[in-house]
Amino acid sequence: MKSTKQETAKMSASSYAEFYRRSIDSPEAFWAEQARLIDWQTPPARILDDSRPPFVHWFAGGKTNLCHNAVDRHLAQRADQPALIHVSTETGSERTYSFGQLHEEVQRVAASLRALGVAKGDRVLIYMPMIPEAAFAMLACARIGAIHCVVFGGFASGALASRIEDAAPKVVVSADAGSRGGKVVAYKPLLDEAIRLSKHKPEAVLLTDRGLAPMELNPGRDHLDSDLAAGLKSTDVPCEWLDATDISYTIYTSGTTGRPKGVQRDTGGYAVALAASMKHIFDGRPGETYFSTSDIGWVVGQSYIVYGPLIAGMATLMYEGLPTQGMDRGPDGGIWWQLVQKYKVTVMFSAPTAVRVLKKQDPALLKKYDLSSLRALFLAGEPLDEPTARWISEGLGVPIIDNYWQTESGWPIITLASGVENKQAKFGSPGVPMYGYKVKILHESTGEELTAPNEKGVVVIEGPTPPGFMQTVWKDDDRFVNTYWKSVPGRMVYSTFDWGIRDEDGYFYILGRTDDVINVAGHRLGTREIEECISGHNGVAEVAVVGVADALKGQVAMAFAVPKDSLALTDPARALALEGEVMQRVNDELGAVARPARVRFVSALPKTRSGKLLRRAIQAVCEQRDPGDLTTMDDPTSLQQIRQLVQG
């Protein structure tokens, strides 16, 4: 009996809904099934233990190892296949490591760490540029059961010192230097100063010398990795089988205080979550190539540069350089697409910020290379505005899949599960809740669940949280409970601290942080809504909106935009005309209450090195306050430009 197209579509439409329902209604059976995607030395005795909420233990009694699942288990079938592809437009170098070669390199570093006294449960802090040795060090720590803490290479000494103090590492792994935009950044002096500032002093420092900057070695403490490895009798290091609930790593994320907040992740739950996400969300297949343009200092780097793709048996492309820089260090807005063609990338993961940078390049570059291998481009890290999504979608001709998650979650909370069902994406929405996540929208004051379409509230997750989610805050269970689980009155739920709405089809829209709300004359407005409206103007490449204190209205919206036409930066008449058009657009689409007090034009917006907009710093400058810690800022002149405009 033949089914009609309509019946077929209906059956397909129910597949993810059923998949999701099973994960929520029968979590133990569902996750026991997913646990078969990885290798276990000892199978778990208990799938889920949520007897002490909000703390959750997954796969208790099971023993496994992240490095085994990422490297060793692939040796029998794909030892000669590519595992790690490193491309640096900063040094003009490319190198591919097979799974067999990766296995050798990881064991070499593991043996070096052991020679420096590192054992199971010890901490190793990794402060590295985007080079293969960084991935080797992470996998080596996982191999021997050490807890690694990767700190973003863009951090200055003060921020690094606070993390060294909190993590208390036995060893720090670093390098002589990184490079960005052709400018060498010497890491070793920053690290030396951070260790001097920190109350905790690591016993040893293991260094990679790239030959980019001179290094002064501290006798007895500092060791070159090449020298140490050469002196080892054996580099054969077997995997340490860990309890599923043992800590794999910590990673620091921003908080409301200056004190670093270490997100703590387990081993077994994380391995299962990544294996499942590579299959169900990213549709990644063994032998293919995955390209994430992020940095190992951020959670995307942990999950989807190093562990996720390798666990899935894919080659992972690790990139050092700008999205507009060629192998000869000259300008090249098509370098990423050139790499997609060369390495036959099937799945790509980037950030909306990077796409907005590429919007300023010649659109012909999107058609220059053979991108037939690419099945989808995933974007995350900040809300994806509709104009940017539409531009890249039309340019590449592949699905653009937004995904919403956090350092705390470890893998996507809201997106589309392409490996389960090809649901239609909606521009401006990351999608629907992923399996295992009970995502709700609650009223911020009453805690009441908002179930009607398009009601705005706080996006929360009901426990138990799924595998891969943070276990707690490193060394601070109370902070974990009080920060994340007690912010909504009368409810024990995890707060994402993001505003959101859900449409009539169940798709979520993220409207910005709960602390980015602008209260204009009693009207509460999300900066995200205003930014999306402004970015839809043909003359605007990028925009940031902040709320600035106003004696009459409480707050007013202030917009800072990067114009596509650079003449708007120097020609007052052109700037005034564009400002008028932008204001009229907001007036027409959102109403006069949302119209910014001013739209000022700048050549660049203040961002961290990972591409996050520094809205709080912009707001502080507008209100003539101290912008606070700016160690993660990529280009300090961008904030100075805003300061001059505001004061002028």
Side-chain angles (χ1 to χ4, degrees):
M1 178 180 172
K2 292 183 178 179
S3 62
T4 65
K5 287 184 178 179
Q6 189 174 6
E7 287 171 336
T8 303
K10 188 175 180 182
M11 288 191 302
S12 171
S14 68
S15 61
Y16 178 71
E18 172 60 20
F19 189 79
Y20 176 79
R21 187 194 62 74
R22 280 200 298 119
S23 77
I24 300 302
D25 293 350
S26 307
E28 296 192 51
F30 179 88
W31 287 108
E33 185 180 304
Q34 306 310 314
R36 292 197 285 272
L37 295 172
I38 70 165
D39 281 1
W40 296 89
Q41 195 252 0
T42 303
R46 184 175 182 181
I47 301 300
L48 167 62
D49 177 2
D50 60 345
S51 58
R52 193 169 67 95
F55 300 95
V56 183
H57 298 289
W58 286 97
F59 310 117
K63 286 186 179 291
T64 188
N65 183 284
L66 274 174
C67 184
H68 168 84
N69 279 286
V71 183
D72 298 57
R73 73 167 175 157
H74 301 302
L75 296 177
Q77 289 188 325
R78 56 186 86 256
D80 296 327
Q81 289 184 14
L84 177 64
I85 302 164
H86 182 254
V87 177
S88 173
T89 57
E90 298 293 335
T91 58
S93 61
E94 294 181 70
R95 173 84 192 265
T96 297
Y97 298 84
S98 67
F99 275 98
Q101 291 168 325
L102 180 60
H103 183 242
E104 291 174 7
E105 295 288 352
V106 169
Q107 287 195 104
R108 179 182 59 79
V109 179
S112 297
L113 290 173
R114 280 200 163 168
L116 294 173
V118 177
K120 177 185 174 183
D122 287 336
R123 271 81 61 208
V124 174
L125 187 138
I126 300 170
Y127 179 63
M128 297 278 270
M130 286 291 288
I131 56 177
E133 288 79 3
F136 301 160
M138 291 168 65
L139 289 161
C141 289
R143 189 172 195 84
I144 63 176
I147 299 166
H148 64 66
C149 171
V150 181
V151 174
F152 175 52
F155 277 138
S157 298
L160 177 57
S162 67
R163 286 152 177 77
I164 291 174
E165 210 162 277
D166 192 67
K170 180 171 278 190
V171 172
V172 174
V173 181
S174 192
D176 61 332
S179 181
R180 185 171 175 83
K183 296 178 182 177
V184 171
V185 180
Y187 278 32
K188 185 58 163 54
L190 295 171
L191 174 58
D192 287 342
E193 175 63 8
I195 292 174
R196 188 189 70 79
L197 293 171
S198 172
K199 292 176 185 174
H200 173 82
K201 310 296 181 186
E203 294 177 13
V205 175
L206 184 63
L207 294 156
T208 295
D209 188 357
R210 307 179 70 192
L212 295 180
M215 274 196 301
E216 196 172 311
L217 298 184
N218 185 318
R221 187 197 72 184
D222 297 348
H223 306 266
L224 290 177
D225 57 2
S226 54
D227 291 350
L228 189 60
L232 293 171
K233 291 181 181 177
S234 172
T235 56
D236 182 22
V237 180
C239 288
E240 179 85 27
W241 296 106
L242 305 177
D243 288 337
T245 54
D246 281 346
I247 305 167
S248 60
Y249 70 83
T250 62
I251 184 169
Y252 289 97
T253 187
S254 57
T256 53
T257 71
R259 194 159 54 95
K261 187 169 57 186
V263 168
Q264 178 180 308
R265 194 91 64 209
D266 72 1
T267 297
Y270 186 55
V272 172
L274 292 185
S277 71
M278 292 302 300
K279 178 181 180 181
H280 303 312
I281 297 175
F282 297 102
D283 192 22
R285 303 164 196 175
E288 296 182 341
T289 304
Y290 191 104
F291 179 16
S292 170
T293 69
S294 187
D295 190 290
I296 56 161
W298 310 106
V299 70
V300 175
Q302 316 281 71
S303 295
Y304 298 115
I305 292 178
V306 179
Y307 293 114
L310 293 175
I311 287 172
M314 300 179 77
T316 180
L317 201 161
M318 187 179 191
Y319 179 80
E320 180 186 42
L322 302 176
T324 54
Q325 175 177 281
M327 294 300 291
D328 60 357
R329 291 194 195 173
D332 183 356
I335 182 63
W336 285 357
W337 317 122
Q338 181 183 328
L339 295 175
V340 169
Q341 173 184 282
K342 181 173 182 177
Y343 293 106
K344 294 182 171 53
V345 172
T346 56
V347 185
M348 189 171 174
F349 193 137
S350 194
T353 293
V355 176
R356 293 186 196 109
V357 168
L358 295 173
K359 272 174 79 175
K360 300 176 187 178
Q361 306 295 308
D362 183 353
L365 292 169
L366 298 176
K367 305 293 185 184
K368 183 178 178 181
Y369 299 98
D370 178 5
L371 306 182
S372 58
S373 64
L374 191 64
R375 286 197 297 273
L377 170 64
F378 291 81
L379 296 173
E382 61 191 277
L384 173 63
D385 58 282
E386 182 173 339
T388 297
R390 196 174 293 279
W391 178 82
I392 193 67
S393 174
E394 292 170 356
L396 294 180
V398 301
I400 307 301
I401 304 175
D402 193 5
N403 57 121
Y404 165 75
W405 50 299
Q406 302 176 322
T407 302
E408 291 85 349
S409 71
W411 59 284
I413 298 170
I414 299 172
T415 185
L416 299 177
S418 301
V420 179
E421 177 194 343
N422 285 319
K423 282 177 75 75
Q424 185 67 41
K426 292 189 180 186
F427 288 131
S429 166
V432 299
M434 285 297 92
Y435 49 90
Y437 287 106
K438 288 186 271 191
V439 185
K440 310 281 186 181
I441 293 181
L442 303 185
H443 190 282
E444 87 243 42
S445 301
T446 65
E448 174 194 0
E449 183 176 354
L450 305 177
T451 55
N454 303 313
E455 285 190 292
K456 180 178 172 181
V458 181
V459 179
V460 305
I461 301 168
E462 288 186 348
T465 48
F469 206 87
M470 72 183 295
Q471 288 179 301
T472 185
V473 171
W474 168 250
K475 297 191 299 188
D476 201 338
D477 286 351
D478 288 343
R479 191 177 184 191
F480 172 64
V481 175
N482 293 328
T483 298
Y484 293 107
W485 293 88
K486 289 190 174 179
S487 67
V488 178
R491 301 288 294 265
M492 174 71 88
V493 290
Y494 172 90
S495 176
T496 65
F497 299 103
D498 278 311
W499 294 113
I501 60 172
R502 183 199 305 103
D503 71 11
E504 59 280 357
D505 298 321
Y507 283 66
F508 281 69
Y509 294 76
I510 305 300
L511 305 177
R513 299 292 289 176
T514 53
D515 48 12
D516 281 342
V517 169
I518 302 174
N519 196 324
V520 182
H523 298 275
R524 297 170 70 81
L525 306 169
T527 56
R528 168 87 165 85
E529 295 160 292
I530 305 173
E531 286 173 353
E532 177 133 352
C533 178
I534 294 174
S535 67
H537 189 286
N538 289 332
V540 174
E542 200 171 3
V543 63
V545 174
V546 296
V548 178
D550 180 83
L552 180 64
K553 298 181 179 180
Q555 280 184 309
V556 292
M558 198 74 73
F560 295 91
V562 178
K564 289 182 179 176
D565 180 2
S566 60
L567 286 175
L569 298 170
T570 56
D571 184 342
R574 195 166 293 214
L576 189 63
L578 183 55
E579 181 178 24
E581 290 176 17
V582 169
M583 286 190 170
Q584 189 60 49
R585 179 181 175 85
V586 177
N587 193 78
D588 292 345
E589 291 197 10
L590 299 178
V593 68
R595 189 175 59 217
R598 287 297 307 271
V599 181
R600 290 186 165 95
F601 299 104
V602 293
S603 58
L605 294 171
K607 295 175 186 172
T608 66
R609 287 277 296 278
S610 69
K612 295 257 188 181
L613 277 169
L614 290 167
R615 288 186 179 83
R616 290 186 188 178
I618 298 172
Q619 183 187 51
V621 166
C622 290
E623 295 179 348
Q624 299 184 16
R625 295 184 285 105
D626 179 4
D629 182 11
L630 300 175
T631 54
T632 62
M633 188 185 294
D634 186 23
D635 179 10
T637 62
S638 58
L639 194 61
Q640 182 60 29
Q641 192 178 1
I642 289 175
R643 185 178 280 111
Q644 290 169 351
L645 282 171
V646 172
Q647 292 175 349

